Amino acid sequence: MAVITISRQLGSLGDEVAREVASQLKYKIIGRELINQAAVQAKVPEVALTAIDDLGLLGLHPPPEAIQAYHDSISKLMHELVASGNVVIVGRAGQVILRDDPQVLHIKVTAPESLRFQRVAQQQKTTLKCAQAQVQTSDQTRKNYLKKYYQVRWDDPQLYDLIVNTARLTPQQAACLICQALTGCFAAGKSPIAINKDS
């Protein structure tokens, strides 16, 4: 049993890659529903809205104790997911919360900025200028989040076991690379992970 965390940039096709990985491995995929579950358990529903507001449009500012309760709940839920295994966790700082667990493979999905602008503009049927603002705001929000709450740099390559650039890879091709990495050994100092072929 294993777990994969996928961190992604807006416009990188990271969500599509995550869905394809889960499909190929027959793993469960966990994303924003984890936020809602954590917020319910921590009894801080306003934090759930803040956590999914990648562009900072809602202007919510929950109290520090509510945010801490939410983060504690997220951490607890993620460790429970690792114990059950066979899951792909999308976002939610999984690469930081679970970074010391040998049963977790950490992936970052990226793409050149200009390509991400084009993808977002096409997907949302908006102008390139508007898409550029969305991508850059999303990047800054995610960067600030990890720095503020986990004291790490979002672009630190040491947080990831594999960084996949989708500039020339389809989500299916990127997923194949990730699945191959899962069946092999991690980098030095990490334990090899085996796929549960019966899942």
Side-chain angles (χ1 to χ4, degrees), residues 47-102:
V47 181
L49 289 174
T50 305
I52 62 174
D53 185 21
D54 290 339
L55 301 179
L57 301 176
L58 299 178
L60 298 174
H61 303 285
E65 57 271 19
I67 293 172
Q68 186 60 54
Y70 163 75
H71 285 145
D72 291 344
S73 184
I74 281 281
S75 179
K76 179 176 180 290
L77 287 169
M78 282 196 184
H79 284 96
E80 289 172 356
L81 288 170
V82 171
S84 62
N86 294 2
V87 66
V88 176
I89 300 173
V90 182
R92 317 280 69 90
Q95 77 275 37
V96 182
I97 295 170
L98 301 174
R99 63 181 160 189
D100 296 323
D101 195 307

Side-chain angles (χ1 to χ4, degrees), residues 93 95 142-148 150-152 154:
Q95 77 275 37
R142 295 179 191 206
K143 175 182 174 182
N144 292 346
Y145 183 85
L146 286 183
K147 183 176 181 181
K148 180 176 181 179
Y150 297 101
Q151 296 76 54
V152 297
W154 184 40

